[in-house]
Amino acid sequence: MNGTAPMYKATQRPEAEAQLRTLERLETVCRARGRRVTRQRRAVLRALLAEGGALTAYELLERLRVEDGRSTPAGVYRALEFWMAAGAVHRLESTRSFILCEHPEAPHPGQLLICRECGQVVETEDKGVAAAAHRLGEQLGFVLDRHLVELTGVCGSCRARGRAAEPGRRPA
Amino acid sequence: MNGTAPMYKATQRPEAEAQLRTLERLETVCRARGRRVTRQRRAVLRALLAEGGALTAYELLERLRVEDGRSTPAGVYRALEFWMAAGAVHRLESTRSFILCEHPEAPHPGQLLICRECGQVVETEDKGVAAAAHRLGEQLGFVLDRHLVELTGVCGSCRARGRAAEPGRRPA
DNA sequence: GCGCTGATTGATACAATATATCATTTCGCG
DNA sequence: CGCGAAATGATATATTGTATCAATCAGCGC
Ligand SMILES: [Zn+2]
Ligand SMILES: [Zn+2]
Ligand SMILES: [Zn+2]
Ligand SMILES: [Zn+2]
């Protein structure tokens, strides 16, 4: 059954390599700005990378404590804040969790598509959505600097698997 | 209990009348579904209406307690959940607060524009944004049923007031 | 009106999420 | 090394949201 839509399933994290290269780049940028990439911060990034998806701050904390029993909520939130400022981590407002950015090369107005069945999160940089949002802001006289778009539903593979569920859903 | 005179606070804003008419309609709809519009639920709606903007659950609680000292967090959240299910209230994820829906006539994928200076929130039903989001979902094989768009920035009147700020901003 | 039934509330406790503070340690650098 | 900025550790606390269950209320058939 792998013939249908294995597009995102993909192999065991092919992005991992790229993510690690990205980490090095981030590190360089941070140092240039007088900020440091420390053990704790690296640990947070590694945990998110290993998870391959979103984690809440306290789930992250549990994982960090396996390696370092002294980890605290404050530490986790500090590291998360650091990476969010660097553009390497996003916060999913609708699930109060955190996830690695899939395009950390540059700041970007991204969109997050969330599957409520399997928890998968896909990050996009869709020009259409971004442009429409920007246009809307202009129409209303706003100068926007934060762009939060989280779209929740059911992904293709979950729909393929769960034919037992009701076919008729009403978008709300 | 004291006589529950339904003296709705004199209308301070123009939409208030329409909102109150909408309340009656909601009430009818709710009854038709075996749900009740009670004193406590009405109080939550009135408080949001009087505020004219977003309130956190606990800010709401403070206000309710002025009139009824027995109000509790659970009660506030229950009422909010009730109205959100009815489509009369939205939760602003980015500020963890709640606001009246400006178009409660029907379910809708809306967008919220938030001014970080004055806290103003404008709700829109922009076809362009909604269509772009829907298209994006289709491209990625998602069937979406929740549409969260919160755009934050500075509104026109705040910009007019605060000319001291820097003119060149980069949307992120 | 009377009692039945399910919806709603009251009261309390608790869970989950996030931040404040300050003494101490580490890092980068001259 | 020794300085100052950055980061952490430790602790406490603030904020936001739920669970539980007995008591009460509203609608309904009688
Ligand atoms: Zn990103
Ligand atoms: Zn899925
Ligand atoms: Zn609305
Ligand atoms: Zn404003």
Side-chain angles (χ1 to χ4, degrees), chain A residues 80-98:
Chain A
L80 287 169
E81 190 180 9
F82 175 85
W83 289 121
M84 287 192 289
V89 165
H90 296 302
R91 183 195 150 95
L92 282 92
E93 299 290 344
S94 45
T95 57
R96 289 156 224 195
S97 59
F98 301 84

Side-chain angles (χ1 to χ4, degrees), chain B residues 108-119:
Chain B
H108 52 277
Q111 303 84 39
L112 298 170
L113 284 92
I114 305 163
C115 175
R116 73 156 46 78
E117 296 294 328
C118 66

Side-chain angles (χ1 to χ4, degrees), chain B residues 73-91:
Chain B
V76 170
Y77 279 102
R78 284 190 290 224
L80 287 170
E81 190 180 9
F82 176 84
W83 288 120
M84 286 192 290
V89 165
H90 296 301
R91 182 196 150 95

Side-chain angles (χ1 to χ4, degrees), chain A residues 42-172:
Chain A
R42 240 188 288 260
V44 163
L45 224 47
R46 277 215 320 274
L48 285 172
L49 194 53
E51 174 68 16
L55 288 173
T56 70
Y58 280 76
E59 285 169 347
L60 211 33
L61 177 59
E62 282 179 48
R63 283 158 175 70
L64 296 197
R65 277 187 165 154
V66 172
E67 306 245 318
D68 181 348
R70 291 172 309 175
S71 299
T72 62
V76 171
Y77 280 103
R78 283 190 291 225
L80 287 169
E81 190 180 9
F82 175 85
W83 289 121
M84 287 192 289
V89 165
H90 296 302
R91 183 195 150 95
L92 282 92
E93 299 290 344
S94 45
T95 57
R96 289 156 224 195
S97 59
F98 301 84
I99 193 166
L100 281 186
C101 176
E102 293 179 10
H103 316 105
E105 299 76 27
H108 53 274
Q111 304 84 39
L112 297 170
L113 285 91
I114 304 163
C115 175
R116 73 157 45 79
E117 297 293 329
C118 65
Q120 177 193 193
V121 178
V122 178
E123 178 178 352
T124 64
E125 272 183 82
D126 186 77
K127 297 277 195 263
V129 172
H134 185 257
R135 204 156 41 234
L136 176 60
E138 283 195 334
Q139 280 170 23
L140 294 173
F142 277 70
V143 173
L144 301 174
D145 57 13
R146 185 180 175 202
H147 172 104
L148 167 63
V149 178
E150 295 181 16
L151 307 171
T152 305
V154 181
C155 76
S157 29
C158 283
R159 284 210 319 294
R161 244 191 308 99
R163 292 294 165 87
E166 73 273 69
R169 283 181 166 279
R170 62 206 146 191

Side-chain angles (χ1 to χ4, degrees), chain B residues 115 117-120 154-155 157-158 161:
Chain B
C115 175
E117 296 294 328
C118 66
Q120 178 193 190
V154 181
C155 76
S157 32
C158 284
R161 250 193 304 98

Side-chain angles (χ1 to χ4, degrees), chain A residues 8-19:
Chain A
Y8 313 111
K9 186 67 182 289
T11 63
Q12 187 68 338
R13 321 241 175 284
E15 330 91 35
E17 284 293 329
Q19 293 278 14

